[in-house]
Amino acid sequence: MEFLDWAKSKGVVLHGVSPTKTPGRGSGMVACRRLKEGEDILSVPTGLIRSLHTVPRHISGKLPSDTSIHALLAADLTISAASELSLWRDSLPTLAELSIGIPLTWHERLQQFLPKPARNIVENQQHSFRRDWARVAKSFPHLQRDDYLHSWLIINTRSFYYTTPQMETYPSTDRLALVPIADGFNHADTGCEVNSTTDGYVVSADREYDLGQEIFISYGTHTNDFLLAEYGFVPMENKWDQTCLDDVILPRLSPAQKKILRDRELLGPFLLDTVTLGCRKTQAALRLLCPCSRPQWEAFLDDEGCGQHCREAMNELLKSLLVEFSATARKAVREVAELEVGQAAQRELLGRRWRQIEVAISQAIMRL
């Protein structure tokens, strides 16, 4: 708790909440007393926020001017000897702990079994990390790759979006900041309200909490594939979850059909959620693959419907595709379990995601 004591001495205020160890999730935040809805439970002053403006000149000045904020913050966390950063680093998960859940660190064979959306994210992460590490290693040759990777993953999993005039030239997804103590909340699909003001960050209770209850914030309206790839966990329940059907729809589309969809910005991703039988892109692709006339297809895009015959044909096609993808999910579960690479916990996490997909598909088939 040395870091917590230091943070309090610098102006962090906790109202009825406290960091704690949580089974299966490392650390988290719990209520120390009964909390009221709307009550401010944590405030972190602006002076403790670490972002572009706090990266020392002896670090940023040695790197190219277009280096990402993500890369700069990771370099700062790795290099700086400031006592407060040392205290904070000591309170964070180790690289070994992060590697259990973060697919970027997994064996290549495990990565190949990721669902397509998660695999795409990891491929982008690989590109970003290689670029960032190449720049940092060239300017600071004494650094070890694993030390920088550890910091890079910390920034990726624990930062908040933050904007200052100085950061407006950076992509919105790169406007990042470290907010100590606030980064201790775990995720739920709905959670406490987090607000950034000129005075700092404030977290407010979204409902009443009883003594001992864990308190969550929401990292965003993300699917489980996104949460797995970016944060290294797969929630058991997530109202924002979706299943990507690209693997069974894209191979069936002709080049001409793909062009039609691309021209309308409808060429994927083709998603299935827990409520609808496919997003608008999915519905558009299925209708192209069905014996629907072009006028019927255009009518669907204009929200005028496409006729009962077309809908019935589309549902039959969707059912056959879901049956096919369900078999793919079952096969993935079986083959992941048989792998002998990586850690058992990594294989279990990956298998859990595929089992979720299989359940989601089965539920969709029942709705048809």
Side-chain angles (χ1 to χ4, degrees):
M1 288 297 176
E2 187 178 358
F3 178 68
L4 179 59
D5 292 338
W6 174 87
K8 289 180 178 179
S9 74
K10 296 297 183 180
V12 171
V13 179
L14 295 95
H15 296 281
V17 298
S18 178
T20 188
K21 295 293 183 181
T22 58
R25 287 194 296 272
S27 61
M29 287 282 191
V30 297
C32 302
R33 57 170 172 79
R34 186 171 179 81
L35 301 176
K36 297 178 181 179
E37 180 179 352
E39 180 179 356
D40 291 346
I41 57 177
L42 173 68
S43 60
V44 181
T46 302
L48 283 189
I49 296 171
R50 300 193 69 89
S51 191
L52 180 63
H53 65 285
T54 62
V55 178
R57 182 62 184 167
H58 70 266
I59 294 176
S60 60
K62 290 185 177 181
L63 293 166
S65 59
D66 61 344
T67 300
S68 68
I69 296 175
H70 189 156
L72 290 168
L73 289 174
D76 184 19
L77 186 60
T78 309
I79 297 168
S80 291
S83 59
E84 62 268 22
L85 270 185
S86 297
L87 287 172
W88 191 60
R89 277 195 297 260
D90 291 343
S91 71
L92 296 172
T94 65
L95 179 58
E97 290 169 334
L98 288 170
S99 295
I100 294 173
I102 302 295
L104 177 63
T105 67
W106 290 359
H107 190 282
E108 183 179 358
R109 284 288 290 138
L110 281 177
Q111 292 175 344
Q112 291 171 352
F113 275 94
L114 287 166
K116 183 180 178 181
R119 193 166 64 248
N120 290 344
I121 292 172
V122 171
E123 288 172 357
N124 289 333
Q125 290 173 341
Q126 290 170 335
H127 170 77
S128 297
F129 177 75
R130 283 195 297 265
R131 177 201 62 208
D132 293 347
W133 170 238
R135 291 179 167 189
V136 171
K138 182 177 180 180
S139 298
F140 302 95
H142 65 284
L143 293 185
Q144 298 297 310
R145 179 184 180 277
D146 278 359
D147 291 338
Y148 184 73
L149 174 61
H150 182 206
S151 297
W152 198 90
L153 292 176
I154 289 294
I155 305 303
N156 198 64
T157 57
R158 302 181 79 90
S159 58
F160 289 73
Y161 287 119
Y162 184 66
T163 299
T164 65
Q166 184 187 10
M167 299 165 72
E168 289 179 357
T169 58
Y170 290 82
S172 58
T173 54
D174 192 40
R175 298 172 191 174
L176 305 175
L178 298 173
V179 186
I181 308 302
D183 64 353
F185 288 92
N186 286 317
H187 165 82
D189 49 17
T190 57
C192 292
E193 186 175 350
V194 181
N195 288 305
S196 172
T197 71
T198 55
D199 295 325
Y201 274 81
V202 177
V203 181
S204 306
D206 61 317
R207 58 180 176 84
E208 290 188 352
Y209 287 87
D210 291 327
L211 172 67
Q213 275 191 288
E214 185 173 2
I215 303 167
F216 300 91
I217 63 173
S218 174
Y219 298 173
T221 56
H222 300 308
T223 68
N224 281 6
D225 288 324
F226 182 96
L227 293 171
L228 171 59
E230 293 285 5
Y231 297 105
F233 63 87
V234 176
M236 299 300 292
E237 296 183 4
N238 179 8
K239 67 180 181 181
W240 308 113
D241 197 21
Q242 295 176 316
T243 299
C244 181
L245 302 179
D246 286 12
D247 289 342
V248 289
I249 292 179
L250 281 174
R252 285 170 169 76
L253 293 169
S254 68
Q257 289 171 327
K258 289 179 181 178
K259 184 179 186 307
I260 291 171
L261 292 170
R262 187 181 297 110
D263 289 345
R264 295 294 192 98
E265 298 183 348
L266 294 170
L267 188 59
F270 303 115
L271 303 173
L272 181 77
D273 60 31
T274 58
V275 178
T276 65
L277 293 174
C279 67
R280 181 175 174 81
K281 293 179 180 180
T282 303
Q283 297 268 327
L286 292 174
R287 282 170 168 80
L288 268 187
L289 292 168
C290 288
C292 294
S293 67
R294 186 62 182 268
Q296 286 176 315
W297 189 76
E298 296 287 352
F300 161 73
L301 294 184
D302 293 335
D303 296 321
E304 296 176 4
C306 59
Q308 182 66 22
H309 172 71
C310 187
R311 284 194 296 272
E312 290 176 354
M314 185 204 70
N315 286 342
E316 284 300 314
L317 173 59
L318 176 59
K319 184 175 182 178
S320 68
L321 295 178
L322 292 177
V323 169
E324 178 184 338
F325 199 44
S326 180
T328 298
R330 288 195 301 273
K331 181 181 178 183
V333 170
R334 183 175 64 253
E335 292 184 349
V336 167
E338 294 171 352
L339 288 174
E340 296 181 355
V341 298
Q343 302 178 40
Q346 295 169 341
R347 297 192 295 272
E348 194 284 326
L349 187 62
L350 183 54
R352 185 193 313 166
R353 178 54 187 150
W354 277 111
R355 288 192 295 273
Q356 288 180 338
I357 291 172
E358 184 181 358
V359 169
I361 293 171
S362 297
Q363 292 173 343
I365 291 174
M366 292 176 63
R367 298 201 303 271
L368 286 168

